[in-house]
Amino acid sequence: MRTYYLTVLLWGCMLHAIPMMLSQKRTNKHLHSEMITGLSENDGKTLHRTKRGWMWNQFFLLEEYTGPDTQYVGKLHTDQDKGDGNLKYILTGDGAGSLFIIDENTGDIHAAKKLDREQKSLYVLRAKAIDRKTGRQVEPESEFIIKIHDINDNEPKFTKDLYTASIPEMSGVGTSVIQVTATDADDANYGNSAKIVYSILQGQPYFSVDPETGIIKTALPDMSRENREQYQVVIQAKDMGGQMGGLSGTTTVNITLTDVNDNPPRFPHSTYLFSSPESAPPGTPLGRIKANDPDMGENAETKYSISSGDGSDMFDIITDKDTQEGIITVKKQLDFENKMLYTLRVEATNTHPDPRFLQLGPFKDTALVKISVEDIDEPPVFSRTSYLIEVDEDVKEGSIIGQVVAQDPDITKNAIKYSVDRHTDLDRIFNIYSGNGSLFISKPLDREETPWHNITVIATEINNPKQSSQIPVFIRILDINDHAPEFAKYYETFVCENAKAGQLIQTVSAVDKDEPARGHQFFFELVPEFAVHPNFSIIDNKDNTAGIMTRRNGYSRSKMSTYLLPIIIFDNDYPIQSSTGTLTIRVCACDSRGNMQSCSAEALLLPAGLSTGALIAILLCILILLVLVVLFAALKRQRKKEPLIISKDDVRDNIVTYNDEGGGEEDTQAFDIGTLRNPEAREESKMRRDVIPDTIFQIRRTAPIWENIDIQDFIHRRLKENDLDPSAPPYDSLATYAYEGNDSIANSLSSLESLTTDGNQDYDYLSDWGPRFKKLADMYGGEESDRD
């Protein structure tokens, strides 16, 4: 095995002369060192210890070389190289051929480009020597390193171009604010190129920076946000340990002082003046006051309150959360005549005090607020909010029932007039004296119709009609006993033909529109004319009811199908009121148990064995007859009648004017004998007794004379009913019941033939005929009547 020797010559610039010389000494030192060779390639058996031909550790190259020529790195050489050009040097590895170029004949290595350590700090290459003729390596391939030496070509750079930080105001000296950091791309292990020192260029004397860590701290005590809130600090980072010639970079730090509650609220004025009209309703704002607080946010939140003063119960103060102002408001209704000036002491307090600054003083302030009340023209004021008046319903018209009182609350005390709002009294039942407010009745009252009257009274200032007020007046009508009791309902009463004496056929009760204080108590009895009734009796049950009892055995429909039983009902109030109610009792056919079967009189004529078809035929015939009768009556009414008296000069026109006597026996229009013959027949057209009949002088055909069936009893009963009725006028007394019977000894009552008699006739006997003939007695009984 052949032994190779390699001589490596390193050339460098003047700056790296010493390292290169040291490297060269190391190379020369190893030229004579021993080396261990491996097995020979020929036989692979013999081991020889030989000396190496070349040996190196690493090359050094300066970055950022800017010379005119390529930078020389070093030389590869072996003792096998005789200088005859038989050997060729080959370089492989990082950057071989592009960054590093080797002369294959001489072994000189050059850097073809400018190198940057920050991009790559070392390169690993491999070198070998090859025999050109045989192509065999004369030396085994060896690896070496080219290390790039750093120069200070990078300035420090901060991680941020702009920093933002905040710190509470009033912080102590040395309070950390923020830490800034700068980095240097140079080699921190070679020289001082990457050794950074921090300094502050702008921001003294408020802040300082730690030169090694870059922590910014406060430098002045008690910095107040209210004095200055924003600070801009410029920090410099310089390499080479801050020495001259080092590179530097800067950054900006914006520091804000945050607020703390270190200021109490303060009123800018000690006294505030406000005014309010006395008519201001509660809740009306009068004005605003504000205690200034230089703090911000919740530290400036202020609460306002009234601590003392003679108007603390009349006014209130609330806090406006948006503007932190105190709003003075009216709490109660003001009265200028009562008090014209109020004084309040208002207090403003911070809601979030900071315990650290309580020693600075109380965080509250007070101010004086004066409020003057302005007088306005107020409407009249009533002595009450409403009036309740009770009055009896029988009070006379014009009676005073009560009084309302109002007065002008102003100092001027203007005169007042009163009136009733007619929208609340459309019927004008009540009126009022405009001068003194006394209410009186203009129309009669009726509690049963309207138990309450709600009216409105208006009070108006005479000098200023625009100033008016109104008040409700509730009038309660008190009841008096002015209504008589009456039947509670209409009773359909019947009595069986086979009824026994003492049998109860009906129980009646009564009602009264009045409202007695102790409840109703009614009494029942028959009218005096029927006190001893042959057919029925009445028993008062003492519980506001009465029972109708039969007094005999058996009743006949053929003789009397209907009975009228007048009953008097009394109440127990004062004055006692009574009324007469007539109970209609029909006679009906009943079974053995007393159940009604039929009450019509026609049923008596029907044979027991009639079939349904026969009944229908009979009903149709009756219906046809009724239609013919109606048509005949209509034709008769359309016929024109000649009046009995035509000439106006005839003295008999008194009969036409007063229409008192009727037509006598020849005046068939006065009554219908058919109705009298059959009292049970229904009256289709019944004239009103309070209106003068229009057809009293119409001549009607004389009705046929039938058999007299209870006609006399019927007429007597009707006469008694009308004689006892004080409200029935006498127009129809003769016209309706002028039946004299057969062969009457009274002869005709008509005065139509009175002209044929000589001298005056004595009519005094008319006064003895009863109250229904009183009108005729007054007309014909004296000389004055004759002259009239």
Side-chain angles (χ1 to χ4, degrees):
M1 180 178 182
R2 290 180 294 182
T3 302
Y4 296 95
Y5 296 91
L6 176 62
T7 303
V8 180
L9 300 177
L10 299 176
W11 305 92
C13 64
M14 295 301 294
L15 183 60
H16 296 279
I18 295 176
M20 295 299 292
M21 290 174 66
L22 294 176
S23 176
Q24 187 176 2
K25 287 180 180 181
R26 288 195 300 270
T27 304
N28 293 333
K29 178 179 180 181
H30 290 287
L31 288 176
H32 303 285
S33 63
E34 295 180 355
M35 61 177 295
I36 300 176
T37 60
L39 294 175
S40 174
E41 295 181 3
N42 297 326
D43 50 25
K45 299 179 179 180
T46 305
L47 292 176
H48 298 278
R49 184 180 295 277
T50 63
K51 295 182 180 179
R52 288 289 302 247
W54 67 42
M55 184 177 178
W56 63 83
N57 185 10
Q58 61 184 8
F59 292 134
F60 293 93
L61 187 63
L62 193 67
E63 70 168 336
E64 302 291 345
Y65 176 74
T66 57
D69 299 326
T70 58
Q71 188 177 4
Y72 180 71
V73 178
K75 185 177 178 66
L76 298 178
H77 187 70
T78 180
D79 55 1
Q80 298 295 327
D81 188 0
K82 305 300 184 179
D84 53 3
N86 290 330
L87 296 179
K88 180 174 69 173
Y89 297 95
I90 299 175
L91 185 67
T92 61
D94 294 339
S98 59
L99 294 179
F100 302 103
I101 301 174
I102 188 172
D103 190 336
E104 62 180 12
N105 295 320
T106 63
D108 293 328
I109 301 174
H110 290 81
K113 296 180 181 180
K114 182 173 64 173
L115 301 177
D116 187 356
R117 188 202 68 84
E118 285 71 37
Q119 293 183 359
K120 193 172 181 65
S121 61
L122 58 88
Y123 297 87
V124 179
L125 295 98
R126 291 174 297 277
K128 57 186 176 179
I130 300 175
D131 189 338
R132 292 181 183 272
K133 294 180 180 180
T134 63
R136 300 178 59 187
Q137 294 185 9
V138 297
E139 291 285 352
E141 187 180 56
S142 180
E143 185 179 89
F144 66 94
I145 297 174
I146 299 178
K147 188 174 183 179
I148 310 300
H149 271 179
D150 182 50
I151 65 172
N152 191 16
D153 61 339
N154 291 281
E155 73 277 2
K157 292 184 178 180
F158 286 93
T159 56
K160 294 182 180 180
D161 295 332
L162 179 65
Y163 290 84
T164 302
S166 61
I167 185 175
E169 62 173 331
M170 307 299 290
S171 297
V173 177
T175 303
S176 296
V177 180
I178 193 174
Q179 183 179 17
V180 295
T181 303
T183 59
D184 196 322
D186 294 326
D187 190 0
N189 298 320
Y190 181 79
N192 294 329
S193 297
K195 185 177 182 180
I196 298 174
V197 175
Y198 298 95
S199 62
I200 184 168
L201 300 182
Q202 177 182 326
Q204 296 97 347
Y206 307 104
F207 300 94
S208 63
V209 64
D210 189 299
E212 294 182 0
T213 62
I215 297 176
I216 300 175
K217 301 179 181 180
T218 58
L220 284 180
D222 301 333
M223 287 191 295
S224 176
R225 182 198 66 83
E226 290 73 30
N227 294 333
R228 182 176 178 181
E229 184 178 5
Q230 299 288 340
Y231 294 87
Q232 191 176 69
V233 178
V234 178
I235 302 298
Q236 182 189 62
K238 191 174 183 180
D239 60 10
M240 298 300 291
Q243 298 179 4
M244 185 72 69
L247 301 178
S248 64
T250 61
T251 187
T252 300
V253 183
N254 290 331
I255 301 176
T256 302
L257 295 184
T258 59
D259 184 60
V260 296
N261 194 6
D262 59 337
N263 293 281
R266 291 288 181 263
F267 284 106
H269 306 287
S270 60
T271 304
Y272 294 86
L273 299 177
F274 297 101
S275 62
S276 172
E278 61 176 337
S279 61
T284 303
L286 303 182
R288 294 172 175 252
I289 60 175
K290 184 177 182 181
N292 297 326
D293 191 337
D295 296 324
M296 60 185 302
E298 70 175 12
N299 296 322
E301 290 182 2
T302 305
K303 179 182 179 182
Y304 297 90
S305 61
I306 299 176
S307 60
S308 62
D310 57 0
S312 58
D313 60 335
M314 302 297 296
F315 301 93
D316 198 1
I317 185 169
I318 58 177
T319 303
D320 189 334
K321 298 298 183 182
D322 297 329
T323 63
Q324 297 300 316
E325 294 177 314
I327 305 174
I328 306 292
T329 61
V330 178
K331 187 176 182 180
K332 293 183 179 180
Q333 187 66 47
L334 303 175
D335 188 359
F336 173 82
E337 290 73 24
N338 186 25
K339 191 174 180 62
M340 294 180 288
L341 181 64
Y342 294 90
T343 302
L344 308 175
R345 185 166 292 279
V346 178
E347 184 176 84
T349 308
N350 274 148
T351 56
H352 300 87
D354 194 331
R356 297 177 298 171
F357 306 103
L358 293 179
Q359 70 277 5
L360 300 179
F363 278 74
K364 61 182 179 180
D365 194 15
T366 59
L368 202 64
V369 178
K370 295 184 178 181
I371 302 175
S372 60
V373 181
E374 299 175 354
D375 185 28
I376 64 170
D377 189 6
E378 299 176 88
V381 177
F382 285 92
S383 59
R384 303 180 191 175
T385 57
S386 63
Y387 288 86
L388 174 61
I389 299 176
E390 294 183 344
V391 58
D392 293 332
E393 65 175 321
D394 62 344
V395 66
K396 297 181 179 180
E397 298 180 18
S399 300
I400 295 177
I401 61 173
Q403 184 181 18
V404 296
V405 178
Q407 62 179 357
D408 185 8
D410 299 321
I411 297 179
T412 55
K413 301 297 181 183
N414 293 327
I416 296 174
K417 64 178 181 179
Y418 302 89
S419 60
V420 176
D421 186 359
R422 291 306 173 187
H423 294 90
T424 62
D425 185 24
L426 298 176
D427 296 332
R428 295 181 174 269
I429 299 175
F430 304 94
N431 212 330
I432 191 170
Y433 291 106
S434 61
N436 58 12
S438 296
L439 286 165
F440 61 93
I441 300 296
S442 299
K443 292 183 179 181
L445 302 176
D446 187 357
R447 188 205 64 83
E448 286 71 29
E449 180 179 353
T450 307
W452 283 88
H453 294 272
N454 301 327
I455 66 174
T456 300
V457 175
I458 303 173
T460 307
E461 292 185 11
I462 296 178
N463 295 336
N464 187 6
K466 294 182 179 180
Q467 295 297 335
S468 64
S469 58
Q470 57 186 17
I471 193 170
V473 179
F474 305 105
I475 303 174
R476 179 183 180 184
I477 310 303
L478 301 179
D479 184 43
I480 64 169
N481 192 25
D482 59 341
H483 286 82
E486 56 188 14
F487 281 132
K489 63 178 182 178
Y490 175 76
Y491 293 99
E492 294 183 355
T493 307
F494 70 93
V495 62
C496 296
E497 287 183 310
N498 57 357
K500 304 297 182 180
Q503 183 178 341
L504 177 66
I505 62 173
Q506 182 69 57
T507 300
V508 296
S509 61
V511 294
D512 196 336
K513 296 181 180 178
D514 296 321
E515 294 182 355
R518 295 179 300 276
H520 290 295
Q521 182 64 41
F522 302 124
F523 306 95
F524 303 86
E525 65 180 34
L526 296 176
V527 296
E529 291 81 355
F530 295 89
V532 180
H533 198 281
N535 299 310
F536 305 98
S537 63
I538 184 169
I539 298 177
D540 194 336
N541 297 325
K542 307 301 181 182
D543 60 353
N544 294 341
T545 63
I548 308 301
M549 312 292 292
T550 59
R551 294 197 63 185
R552 61 187 178 89
N553 296 328
Y555 296 85
S556 176
R557 281 183 294 168
S558 61
K559 294 182 179 181
M560 183 69 70
S561 62
T562 302
Y563 293 92
L564 299 178
L565 185 65
I567 300 174
I568 302 178
I569 309 173
F570 301 90
D571 59 19
N572 65 332
D573 206 350
Y574 180 83
I576 296 176
Q577 298 288 340
S578 65
S579 66
T580 301
T582 301
L583 190 66
T584 302
I585 304 174
R586 295 182 299 165
V587 180
C588 301
C590 303
D591 58 12
S592 59
R593 296 182 180 181
N595 298 323
M596 180 181 65
Q597 291 180 341
S598 175
C599 294
S600 59
E602 290 78 2
L604 297 174
L605 303 177
L606 295 177
L610 289 179
S611 63
T612 305
L615 291 175
I616 296 175
I618 293 173
L619 292 176
L620 289 176
C621 294
I622 294 174
L623 180 62
I624 294 172
L625 290 175
L626 290 176
V627 172
L628 293 175
V629 170
V630 171
L631 292 175
F632 180 73
L635 292 174
K636 285 183 63 177
R637 290 179 182 178
Q638 292 180 357
R639 184 182 301 173
K640 186 175 180 181
K641 303 293 182 177
E642 288 291 334
L644 295 177
I645 301 175
I646 300 177
S647 175
K648 291 184 179 180
D649 296 331
D650 198 329
V651 295
R652 289 177 297 178
D653 60 358
N654 291 333
I655 297 177
V656 178
T657 304
Y658 300 103
N659 205 9
D660 293 313
E661 292 183 347
E665 290 82 358
E666 297 180 357
D667 187 2
T668 58
Q669 187 68 17
F671 62 92
D672 187 356
I673 191 64
T675 303
L676 296 178
R677 294 288 185 179
N678 187 10
E680 302 301 327
R682 184 178 177 180
E683 297 178 6
E684 297 294 335
S685 177
K686 187 175 182 180
M687 299 182 182
R688 294 176 53 184
R689 292 186 295 172
D690 57 342
V691 179
I692 300 175
D694 294 334
T695 59
I696 192 169
F697 294 109
Q698 292 182 2
I699 300 176
R700 299 176 61 180
R701 295 179 60 185
T702 302
I705 299 177
W706 298 318
E707 184 181 358
N708 185 2
I709 302 176
D710 293 334
I711 296 177
Q712 184 175 0
D713 294 338
F714 177 78
I715 294 177
H716 289 167
R717 187 166 64 248
R718 291 299 189 186
L719 287 175
K720 288 182 180 180
E721 288 179 4
N722 287 274
D723 290 338
L724 294 176
D725 188 359
S727 61
Y731 302 134
D732 60 348
S733 60
L734 292 178
T736 304
Y737 307 110
Y739 175 69
E740 299 179 4
N742 297 326
D743 300 328
S744 174
I745 59 174
N747 295 324
S748 176
L749 297 178
S750 175
S751 61
L752 297 178
E753 299 177 359
S754 59
L755 293 178
T756 59
T757 60
D758 298 334
N760 295 330
Q761 187 175 354
D762 185 8
Y763 295 97
D764 293 338
Y765 61 89
L766 294 177
S767 301
D768 300 331
W769 287 10
R772 307 301 291 179
F773 296 91
K774 187 176 183 303
K775 186 69 175 178
L776 292 176
D778 293 339
M779 294 173 57
Y780 298 96
E783 297 179 356
E784 295 180 0
S785 299
D786 295 337
R787 286 194 298 267
D788 292 339

